[in-house]
Amino acid sequence: MTSGTTRTHLVWDWNGTLLDDTYAVVRATNAAFAEVELEPITPERYREMYTIPIPRFYERFLGRLPTEAEWERMDGVFHRYYAEQRTACGLTAGAEELLRGWQRAGRSQSLLSMYGHEQLVPVVRGYGIEPRFVRVEGRRGPSGGSKALHMERHFEALAGVDGIAPENAVVIGDALDDAVAAAHVGARAVLYTGGSHSRRSLEGAGVPVVDSLAEAVALAETFAG
């Protein structure tokens, strides 16, 4: 193990990355679509069309941005329906072993999600993996935005934990926005195809794209700290 590998810090995404919940997200999206009389979409269509911020994703189907009232209604339905569906979701294959192995090797990792912070923490705790992370952090504030500023604040907090810095970090996520957020703070990114985007969509980010979390971690290990 090189000293660079030893210093590498992983920042994991949650939804669609560590948590295998894409089908629950699609079902919740279709419930939200029904609020404005849009036809339901398939998981494949979702992965091709998904974008951040979420109102822009909805615009691709409505042909316009949702009104403020529509957005509030759709967002509320989405989160209510997702909360019901999420309980049937498990961790992505191999995730628990990868988290355990990274921690046991003496390396640090954290979790940053756009899922609301107050909802995220007990959910992560319920899966029994909270102790694997030096920090677990969800979105604070309204939903629908980008991860970039949240990533900035995440690293401000991590600076006091063994001097963790973005230049020594790799963000592992399933969305183009994860790559944008990583670039915003000067971290590297690896994108996983099992979540919100198709491989074709992810390849537009200009960062490595992999088909498993094991590949993502193996690649992160090759990056110098």
Side-chain angles (χ1 to χ4, degrees):
M1 184 186 302
T2 67
S3 60
T5 299
T6 302
R7 292 195 304 271
T8 300
H9 174 84
L10 298 183
V11 180
W12 292 93
D13 175 55
W14 179 241
N15 302 102
T17 303
L18 288 175
L19 185 65
D20 186 13
D21 68 345
T22 300
Y23 284 89
V25 169
V26 173
R27 293 186 190 106
T29 297
N30 283 331
F33 277 12
E35 286 294 303
V36 290
E37 300 182 350
L38 286 174
E39 292 295 319
I41 58 172
T42 64
E44 292 73 25
R45 181 71 168 156
Y46 180 92
R47 287 188 169 105
E48 286 295 332
M49 300 293 285
Y50 182 72
T51 191
I52 291 289
I54 299 298
R56 293 290 181 187
F57 173 55
Y58 291 163
E59 180 184 25
R60 293 182 170 188
F61 297 91
L62 279 169
R64 57 174 175 78
L65 283 170
T67 65
E68 184 175 345
E70 286 172 334
W71 162 249
E72 290 180 359
R73 196 165 77 248
M74 294 174 78
D75 193 48
V77 168
F78 174 89
H79 285 289
R80 286 195 301 275
Y81 202 87
Y82 174 78
E84 295 172 1
Q85 296 288 310
R86 198 274 312 158
T87 57
C89 299
L91 296 177
T92 299
E96 193 166 2
E97 293 77 10
L98 291 167
L99 295 173
R100 183 188 306 116
W102 193 265
Q103 183 187 43
R104 286 182 175 175
R107 294 172 289 195
S108 62
Q109 55 197 334
S110 59
L111 193 159
L112 177 63
S113 173
M114 292 298 281
Y115 194 37
H117 183 77
E118 298 303 321
Q119 292 77 39
L120 175 72
V121 173
V123 167
V124 173
R125 188 173 296 140
Y127 284 97
I129 58 173
E130 186 184 22
R132 305 297 179 198
F133 306 105
V134 296
R135 186 172 183 82
V136 173
E137 191 167 17
R139 169 185 49 79
R140 299 177 191 272
S143 62
S146 173
K147 205 173 198 175
L149 293 181
H150 295 274
M151 187 71 74
E152 188 177 314
R153 289 192 288 267
H154 190 66
F155 274 101
E156 287 172 358
L158 288 174
V161 182
D162 297 328
I164 294 169
E167 57 267 27
N168 299 326
V170 178
V171 175
I172 299 177
D174 69 312
L176 293 170
D177 193 47
D178 290 302
V180 171
H184 178 73
V185 297
R188 297 204 191 209
V190 178
L191 298 180
Y192 163 61
T193 61
S196 61
H197 285 289
S198 67
R199 171 176 276 277
R200 185 182 66 81
S201 297
L202 293 177
E203 286 174 344
V207 303
V209 177
V210 298
D211 296 319
S212 72
L213 297 187
E215 290 177 82
V217 171
L219 189 55
E221 288 180 316
T222 71
F223 294 154

